[in-house]
Amino acid sequence: MLKVFKIIAFLEGASLLLLLFFAMPMKYFFNEPVFVKTIGMTHGVLFVAYIILAIMAKIELNWSIKKMGIICFASVVPFGTFYIEKKYLK
């Protein structure tokens, strides 16, 4: 369970960075919105999977509410899931 969560956390973090630092500049500077559509959809699916897996891990691993909140909040901060993987998902 934790191994799958770590993989999804990495992919979710990478997709957020791609969305913010590649797709959004392509849309606003080069008028190419196709990247936002494709990367944005992928990121959305990975975000939902991350939250669902975080809830499942909280139940399975008996995480505190504080730890769960920090892990969920990290999914909306650039590089947050990479920090969580190093600090909380050992």
Side-chain angles (χ1 to χ4, degrees):
M1 167 64 193
L2 193 57
K3 185 176 181 178
V4 173
F5 183 61
K6 288 171 107 176
I7 292 168
I8 295 297
F10 175 80
L11 293 173
E12 194 275 336
S15 70
L16 176 61
L17 294 177
L18 278 172
L19 186 62
L20 292 176
F21 297 116
F22 174 71
M24 296 300 282
M26 289 300 286
K27 178 180 180 179
Y28 290 109
F29 296 131
F30 300 107
N31 200 24
E32 290 289 335
V34 69
F35 296 109
V36 172
K37 291 179 183 178
T38 55
I39 296 172
M41 178 58 115
T42 303
H43 171 68
V45 169
L46 289 167
F47 174 78
V48 171
Y50 179 89
I51 297 298
I52 290 170
L53 287 171
I55 292 167
M56 291 170 62
K58 185 225 182 293
I59 294 166
E60 185 177 308
L61 302 172
N62 199 25
W63 288 344
S64 68
I65 295 293
K66 180 181 177 183
K67 184 174 182 177
M68 174 67 179
I70 291 169
I71 288 172
C72 287
F73 178 72
S75 68
V76 297
V77 177
F79 301 101
T81 58
F82 304 118
Y83 171 77
I84 291 300
E85 185 178 353
K86 295 286 184 195
K87 177 136 178 146
Y88 291 98
L89 303 179
K90 293 179 182 178

